[in-house]
């Protein structure tokens, strides 16, 4: 009987110890999660964006900036006419620009083994030179894109196709800037670039003046913070000069628009000359003793005042 009671007590004691250990483990894990959350949410100065933010956001933004690389882009620069809308399209791909063949021009990159081989003096005349292994191919490696290249997308549009290599990342923003133009975006400014595809931005551009002006394409790699805010991590600006033509009827309208200014100037000069001539003529008639119409009016007024009532 005593043995049974002792065994039961031991079992109860072991069960209590296991429960205490389980609670202690859960409490420890909860404390670690809370501590990690506090560390992730800690506000620090992030050098990548030059301002204070959470540690988690800073680490994500730093990693995104480090992953940015040179990509491929193309856009069209068509001739424009003042007052007429023209579409400009920018196409960007994550694919890197084609690599130049390092062996083109100059000495070949790989030499045969026999070029530097030396034959011992006591070697037999029948000794054959070792057959060199074939030189490795120097064809430039370029990732295969599933979709059309940016230049292929833009080639169908009017104007010359301009290609360049901007800094690219997953989240991109593109803007078209230029003075003397009315620019209306036809696509979202921020878009996502996906591997193996090409993403496009479109703008409707209307020149407001007739001369050569510059258009600038500004692209930027964006980082997205936990609260959804987007920040610029790196940007590229490409500028091109646009030849804006002016139709003959626009030139006539410009002349008519500017005419009132000249008319006002000429009218002012003529009025000043007329006033000067009138003053000079009055002075001449007064010198001759002649009465001017103004003098006769003044005399009539004085005579009317002197009449008895």
């Amino acid at each position: 009987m005593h043995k049974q009671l002792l065994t039961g007590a031991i079992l109860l004691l072991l069960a209590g110890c296991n429960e205490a250990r389980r609670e202690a483990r859960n409490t420890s894990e909860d404390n670690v999660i809370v501590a990690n959350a506090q560390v992730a949410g800690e506000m620090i100065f992030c050098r990548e964006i030059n301002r204070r933010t959470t540690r988690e956001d800073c680490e994500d933004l730093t990693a995104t900036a480090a992953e940015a690389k040179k990509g491929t882009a193309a856009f069209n620069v068509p001739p424009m006419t003042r007052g007429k809308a023209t579409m400009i399209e920018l196409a960007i791909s994550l694919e890197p620009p084609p690599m130049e063949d390092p062996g083109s021009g100059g000495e070949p990159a790989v030499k045969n083994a026999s070029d530097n081989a030396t034959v011992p003096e006591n070697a037999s005349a029948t000794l054959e030179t070792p057959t060199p292994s074939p030189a490795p191919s120097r064809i430039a490696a370029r990732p295969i894109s599933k979709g059309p290249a940016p230049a292929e997308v833009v080639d169908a549009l009017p104007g010359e196709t301009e290609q360049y290599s901007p800094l690219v990342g997953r989240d991109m923003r593109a803007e078209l800037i230029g003075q003397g133009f009315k620019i209306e975006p036809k696509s979202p400014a921020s878009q996502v670039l996906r591997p193996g595809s090409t993403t496009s931005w479109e703008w409707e551009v209307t020149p407001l003046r007739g001369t050569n002006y510059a258009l600038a394409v500004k692209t930027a790699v964006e980082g997205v913070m936990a609260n959804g805010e987007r920040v610029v991590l790196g940007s590229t600006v490409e500028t091109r000069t646009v030849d804006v033509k002016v139709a003959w009827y626009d030139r006539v309208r410009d002349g008519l628009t500017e005419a009132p200014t000249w008319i006002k100037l000429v009218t002012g000069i003529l009025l000043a000359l007329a006033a000067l001539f009138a003053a000079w003529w009055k002075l001449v008639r007064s010198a001759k003793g002649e009465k001017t119409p103004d003098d006769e009016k003044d005399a009539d007024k004085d005579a009317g005042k002197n009449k008895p009532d």
Side-chain angles (χ1 to χ4, degrees), residues 13 29 95 110 144-145 150 165 254 287:
L13 182 61
E29 291 177 355
E95 304 298 334
V110 181
I144 300 176
S145 177
S165 301
D254 290 344

Side-chain angles (χ1 to χ4, degrees), residues 85-98:
T86 305
M87 293 299 299
I88 291 183
E89 182 173 356
L90 168 69
I92 302 180
S93 172
L94 287 171
E95 304 298 334

Side-chain angles (χ1 to χ4, degrees), residues 137-158:
S137 174
R138 297 194 300 272
I139 299 177
R142 181 180 181 182
I144 300 176
S145 177
K146 298 180 182 179
E152 296 175 357
V153 175
V154 179
D155 279 342
L157 299 173

Side-chain angles (χ1 to χ4, degrees), residues 241-261:
T241 301
V242 180
D243 182 18
V244 179
K245 299 179 181 179
V246 181
W248 65 268
Y249 48 83
D250 284 330
R251 296 185 184 276
V252 173
R253 184 175 59 185
D254 290 344
L256 295 176
T257 303
E258 297 175 358
T261 303

Side-chain angles (χ1 to χ4, degrees), residues 24-34:
R25 187 183 304 109
N26 293 337
T27 302
S28 177
E29 291 177 355
D30 292 341
N31 291 337
V32 170
I33 293 174
V34 172

